[in-house]
Amino acid sequence: MDNAKTITIADVMTKSVISIDASMTVNESAKMMEDAKVGAIIVMEHNSPVGIVTERDFAVKVAAHAYPITSPVKQIMSSPLFSINSNETVRTAADLMHDRKIRKLPVIDDDHVIGIITATDIVNLLAVCVEDDMRDMYFHSVAKIYANTSPYN
């Protein structure tokens, strides 16, 4: 395995991504996710990515708020859409996901969705890291936590 600090998103992302038009219904999007066996779909408007719908959006927004399944998927999508470039490091993705409290991050190059990286992808990568990489990631995380709570900032 390469050094964990230099592994790029392109090295670990999932390349097959499902996208739907913002006008499709909640029910249609749920069926697409079930058929494709994915936990998220990208919502497009005028061929541009504008949001993401995850399994959690169905649980929180549809079930908890009783939105009708005929509602447009745009009503339940998470937006703004946070994304990352494929040439960024996995560490950058992990930091962004942590800061934004998200678990799925679309990979967008030149305004085209080319993949997705998830928290599971990062955990799977950590499972095969060497001890030096784990130590480095641990100290990076501790330094980040300290920076957020330091009285000197």
Side-chain angles (χ1 to χ4, degrees):
M1 180 172 120
D2 293 334
N3 183 318
K5 288 186 267 188
T6 60
I7 295 174
T8 66
I9 301 302
D11 296 327
V12 297
M13 71 181 188
T14 300
K15 292 182 177 106
S16 60
V17 180
I18 305 292
S19 62
I20 61 167
D21 189 80
S23 64
M24 290 184 75
T25 67
V26 168
N27 189 48
E28 291 169 323
S29 63
K31 284 181 181 177
M32 286 182 75
M33 287 174 65
E34 179 184 31
D35 291 344
K37 295 178 176 53
V38 296
I41 50 177
I42 306 300
V43 180
M44 308 287 284
E45 202 166 55
H46 308 293
N47 291 325
S48 293
V50 295
I52 187 169
V53 175
T54 67
E55 296 162 321
R56 191 172 193 296
D57 291 318
F58 287 102
V60 172
K61 296 173 184 169
V62 176
H65 297 289
Y67 288 140
I69 61 172
T70 55
S71 301
V73 72
K74 187 174 182 174
Q75 188 172 355
I76 68 160
M77 73 180 183
S78 296
S79 183
L81 182 65
F82 298 106
S83 64
I84 195 160
N85 288 339
S86 64
N87 61 352
E88 293 286 342
T89 65
V90 172
R91 176 183 278 180
T92 302
D95 284 346
L96 178 60
M97 292 166 83
H98 175 267
D99 292 345
R100 298 296 183 179
K101 295 177 179 34
I102 56 177
R103 296 181 196 103
K104 298 175 189 320
L105 190 59
V107 182
I108 299 178
D109 287 345
D110 300 323
D111 294 327
H112 291 75
V113 179
I114 62 163
I116 192 165
I117 185 165
T118 67
T120 301
D121 296 328
I122 294 171
V123 169
N124 288 338
L125 181 62
L126 287 174
V128 296
C129 283
V130 296
E131 186 177 341
D132 287 343
D133 289 332
M134 289 295 285
R135 187 177 300 113
D136 180 67
M137 286 182 262
Y138 171 78
F139 287 119
H140 173 77
S141 298
V142 169
K144 187 174 177 178
I145 291 167
Y146 178 73
N148 290 338
T149 60
S150 173
Y152 304 109
N153 290 337

